[in-house]
Amino acid sequence: MIPQRPRLYDGSIVITDGPFICRESTKKMIVFREKDIPFSKEQFPKTIPVKEVMIPEKKEIIRQFIQSQTIGTHIFVLAPWDTASMVFDVCIEEGMSEEELQIQIIGDKKRKVYCMKCYQLHEVKLDATTTQCSCGAHLTVGPFFSALRQGYIGYPFQPIIEKVRS
């Protein structure tokens, strides 16, 4: 089974790791980062203006900032998984394309999964396609993110137990 790439509720891929890729349409870079994460402008072309912005805690502040930007502004996010996903959500909701976004996850790559049996939220590794919840349910980790539940949906399934022939 091929591991699922994490996706948002609209099917968009969340992560695009690696250094910034400059496109012809890039006129300005906004680097969203958390205050404890070091950042260097050396990875960006010198011809493109780069502005650093600390990631606000509220989605609405991010939304207002994104709405105030002009065409040709590209977003580069340096943050842990949850924070990066939040910024990505807002950017996609505001009509930005995946070509205008690039995310580099800092720290452990885990995602939260919401169990549809016991309604608990817990973490699983990024490449996990199945997991077991603390309630005992075996879960298939769905590829879609629920903004309402703040996690990927884990659908319960009955594991196939192979019988040993005697």
Side-chain angles (χ1 to χ4, degrees), residues 18-86:
F20 172 66
I21 300 166
C22 185
R23 295 175 177 83
E24 289 180 21
S25 61
T26 306
K27 306 293 182 224
K28 180 171 86 171
M29 276 303 305
I30 303 295
V31 177
F32 276 108
R33 70 179 185 91
E34 290 197 339
K35 64 180 177 180
D36 298 337
I37 297 174
F39 164 71
S40 170
K41 291 183 182 181
E42 292 175 10
Q43 62 182 319
F44 301 105
K46 303 226 183 295
T47 56
I48 299 174
V50 178
K51 181 178 181 181
E52 258 183 278
V53 177
M54 299 302 158
I55 299 175
E57 291 182 19
K58 295 184 180 179
K59 274 188 166 185
E60 282 311 308
I61 297 171
I62 298 170
R63 188 176 315 283
Q64 290 169 1
F65 184 84
I66 298 298
Q67 289 171 350
S68 71
Q69 299 308 305
T70 58
I71 293 173
T73 299
H74 288 200
I75 306 293
F76 189 80
V77 182
L78 290 162
W81 173 260
D82 292 344
T83 307
S85 291
M86 178 183 70

Side-chain angles (χ1 to χ4, degrees), residues 126-145:
L126 187 64
D127 58 353
T129 55
T130 61
T131 188
Q132 186 169 357
C133 182
S134 54
C135 72
H138 295 274
L139 304 176
T140 299
V141 180
F144 300 107
F145 185 84

Side-chain angles (χ1 to χ4, degrees), residues 89-100:
D89 275 348
V90 174
C91 290
I92 293 296
E93 289 167 6
E94 290 303 315
M96 293 187 80
S97 71
E98 288 184 30
E99 293 176 356
E100 298 172 302

